[in-house]
């Protein structure tokens, strides 16, 4: 189609006021028509990534901090699961503020973004923290999944191995590992050039390796997702096996509290997979399309190549909005889950709402244990058990992992 007969001029393309010969070559009439057609979707996505993201940040911070307040109560800290969920709440808060909030500010305010562009060290810092907190939230879920798998598959050894103290060491180890890995952003750039928030990339003297994006996408989406899905399948099979044993009144491989904790894990990890999988698919497709196709403006297939490239870019931005929900949705999962009785009861107590005695499972557990010890204890006599024996009985008791 001749440009003279085109109903849309170059002014419909953002950033073009006086079209140069290169602009005319890059944006022929068919591509300008396509841009006008897709622009309503672009406007929707931009609205989601500005106002929608701001809404997610506010709600996410509020509910993550509430979750942290509940999970760090004295009777909740005895569970390894609650330690992982506490770390997840902290890292989600940091991701919401340091990653998404800064991204929105840079995208909406050119002066703020110019401060980043004028200071390369600030850009390096932002590159590192974006990678750190995105990866930490994901790999804490992976660590929690591995812990649950061990508890379900090897219940006797798991109860000895998976203690709260070791859970703290795992969290610290994963955190340090991710931090060290993310330090490569100080020297290498590769993914910051096309932000979904629409801000101009920093000018950098760092080495630019486009190939590192492949590894980043795999390490951020595919590898953790496949790990979680695989382990969850094994966990579900083990839960099914445990139900059959219970129905046949044979010995059970795991306690009800472990089963509740595992079901809550399945809910949290499944939400992660559902929200991250579409983004991973689009990112991978876009990456392959952009880097395997080399189409010049003079090529007959240029219009198709560029229209597909634009579709993939804005589809990635659209699904990125839903990916952000990963960092704000966990509180709702805890409240709605039938496995999180203790979480809901503790939340009610913090809010000053009356809690039924049967909901205070930590008190019921302590009472039942005390009754059991007293019921088997013989009357005091000269040859009765010593206080040391009774003390050893108490220390053998293992705290429940119910949320």
């Amino acid at each position: 189609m001749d440009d003279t007969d085109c109903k849309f001029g170059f002014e419909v393309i953002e950033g073009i006021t006086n079209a140069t010969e290169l602009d005319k070559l890059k944006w022929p009439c068919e591509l300008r028509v396509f841009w006008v057609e897709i622009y309503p979707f672009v406007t929707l996505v931009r609205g989601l990534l500005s106002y929608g993201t701001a809404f997610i940040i506010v709600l996410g911070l509020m509910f993550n901090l509430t979750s942290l307040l509940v999970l760090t109560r004295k009777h909740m800290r005895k569970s390894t699961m609650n330690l992982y969920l506490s770390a997840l709440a902290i890292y989600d808060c940091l991701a919401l503020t340091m990653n998404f909030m800064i991204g929105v500010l840079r995208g909406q305010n050119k002066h703020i973004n110019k401060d980043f562009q004028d200071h390369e060290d600030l850009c390096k810092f932002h590159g590192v923290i974006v990678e750190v907190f995105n990866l930490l939230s994901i790999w804490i879920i992976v660590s929690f999944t591995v812990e649950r798998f061990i508890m379900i598959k090897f219940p006797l050894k798991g109860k000895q191995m998976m203690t709260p103290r070791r859970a703290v060491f795992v969290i610290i180890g994963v955190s340090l590992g991710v931090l060290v890995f993310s330090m490569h952003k100080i020297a290498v750039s590769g993914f910051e050039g096309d932000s979904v928030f629409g801000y101009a990339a920093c000018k950098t003297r760092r080495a630019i390796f486009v190939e590192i994006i492949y590894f980043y996408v795999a390490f951020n989406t595919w590898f953790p997702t496949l790990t979680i899905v695989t382990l969850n399948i094994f966990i579900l099979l083990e839960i099914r096996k445990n139900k059959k044993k219970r129905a046949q009144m044979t010995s059970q491989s795991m306690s009800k509290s472990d089963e509740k904790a595992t079901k809550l894990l399945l809910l949290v990890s499944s939400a992660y997979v559902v929200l991250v999988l579409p983004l991973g698919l689009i990112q991978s497709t876009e990456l392959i399309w952009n880097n395997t196709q080399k189409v010049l403006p003079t090529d007959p297939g240029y219009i198709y190549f560029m229209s597909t490239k634009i579709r993939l870019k804005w589809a990635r931005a659209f699904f990125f909005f839903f990916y952000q929900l990963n960092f704000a949705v966990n509180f709702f999962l805890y409240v709605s889950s039938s496995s999180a009785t203790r979480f809901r009861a503790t939340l009610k107590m913090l809010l000053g709402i009356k809690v039924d005695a049967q909901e205070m499972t930590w008190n019921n557990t302590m009472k039942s244990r005390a009754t059991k010890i007293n019921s088997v204890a013989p009357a005091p006599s000269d040859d009765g058990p010593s206080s040391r024996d009774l003390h050893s009985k108490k220390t053998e008791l293992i705290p429940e992992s119910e949320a």
Side-chain angles (χ1 to χ4, degrees), residues 127 158 179 196:
L179 178 61
V196 295

Side-chain angles (χ1 to χ4, degrees), residues 230-277:
T230 303
L231 292 179
N232 280 354
I233 290 172
F234 283 116
I235 289 171
L236 285 170
L237 292 174
E238 200 65 31
I239 289 176
R240 186 178 178 184
K241 189 189 299 182
N242 191 65
K243 285 184 177 179
K244 287 183 178 180
K245 289 181 179 180
R246 187 179 300 164
Q248 297 169 358
M249 300 299 290
T250 59
S251 60
Q252 299 177 22
S253 60
M254 61 176 166
S255 65
K256 285 188 177 181
S257 60
D258 283 332
E259 188 171 325
K260 284 185 176 183
T262 303
K263 287 179 178 178
L264 184 58
L265 155 75
L266 292 173
L267 188 62
V268 172
S269 57
S270 297
Y272 161 76
V273 171
V274 168
L275 291 170
V276 79
L277 196 56

Side-chain angles (χ1 to χ4, degrees), residues 39-182:
Y39 193 74
F41 177 69
V42 172
T43 304
L44 170 66
V45 173
R46 284 174 173 169
L48 289 174
L49 289 173
S50 55
Y51 301 108
T53 298
F55 183 70
I56 289 174
I57 291 169
V58 173
L59 285 186
L61 288 173
M62 182 171 65
F63 288 122
N64 280 325
L65 290 173
T66 303
S67 296
L68 186 62
L69 193 61
V70 172
L71 294 167
T72 52
R73 297 298 90 190
K74 185 177 180 180
H75 62 274
M76 300 288 280
R77 292 197 298 266
K78 298 176 182 178
S79 164
T80 58
M81 181 185 74
N82 291 338
L83 292 175
Y84 283 109
L85 296 182
S86 298
L88 184 61
I90 293 171
Y91 292 143
D92 282 351
C93 285
L94 291 171
L96 288 168
T97 52
M98 305 300 284
N99 296 4
F100 306 137
M101 188 172 73
I102 291 178
V104 171
L105 291 174
R106 289 183 66 179
Q108 297 299 312
N109 192 312
K110 292 182 179 180
H111 298 292
I112 292 176
N113 190 49
K114 191 175 185 305
D115 288 337
F116 279 85
Q117 291 181 305
D118 293 341
H119 301 87
E120 188 178 2
D121 289 339
L122 196 57
C123 274
K124 290 179 181 179
F125 173 73
H126 189 218
V128 171
I129 61 172
V130 165
E131 183 124 342
V132 166
F133 297 128
N134 275 345
L135 291 176
L136 275 176
S137 291
I138 295 166
W139 285 96
I140 286 295
I141 295 176
V142 173
S143 303
F144 182 26
T145 306
V146 172
E147 190 254 13
R148 282 290 98 195
F149 173 74
I150 295 172
M151 288 292 291
I152 298 303
K153 190 65 179 175
F154 311 103
L156 296 178
K157 290 183 179 179
K159 286 184 180 294
Q160 296 175 353
M161 293 170 55
M162 303 303 161
T163 62
R165 185 177 180 182
R166 286 182 179 171
V168 171
F169 288 150
V170 170
I171 293 168
I172 294 173
V174 169
S175 303
L176 291 175
V178 168
L179 178 61
V180 170
F181 169 78
S182 301

Side-chain angles (χ1 to χ4, degrees), residues 320-345:
F320 184 86
F321 170 76
F322 294 99
Y323 164 74
Q324 294 173 119
L325 292 172
N326 263 315
F327 303 88
V329 76
N330 288 333
F331 173 83
F332 300 99
L333 300 179
Y334 305 154
V335 172
S336 62
S337 173
S338 60
S339 303
T341 309
R342 189 173 293 189
F343 182 92
R344 287 194 299 273

Side-chain angles (χ1 to χ4, degrees), residues 294-338:
K294 302 295 181 183
V295 183
L296 298 175
T298 54
D299 194 290
Y302 177 73
I303 303 296
Y304 176 71
F305 168 74
M306 285 301 298
S307 59
T308 303
K309 181 176 180 178
I310 293 169
R311 283 193 188 98
L312 288 171
K313 173 183 177 178
W314 291 103
R316 168 169 60 91
F318 176 74
F319 286 112
F320 184 86
F321 170 76
F322 294 99
Y323 164 74
Q324 294 173 119
L325 292 172
N326 263 315
F327 303 88
V329 76
N330 288 333
F331 173 83
F332 300 99
L333 300 179
Y334 305 154
V335 172
S336 62
S337 173
S338 60

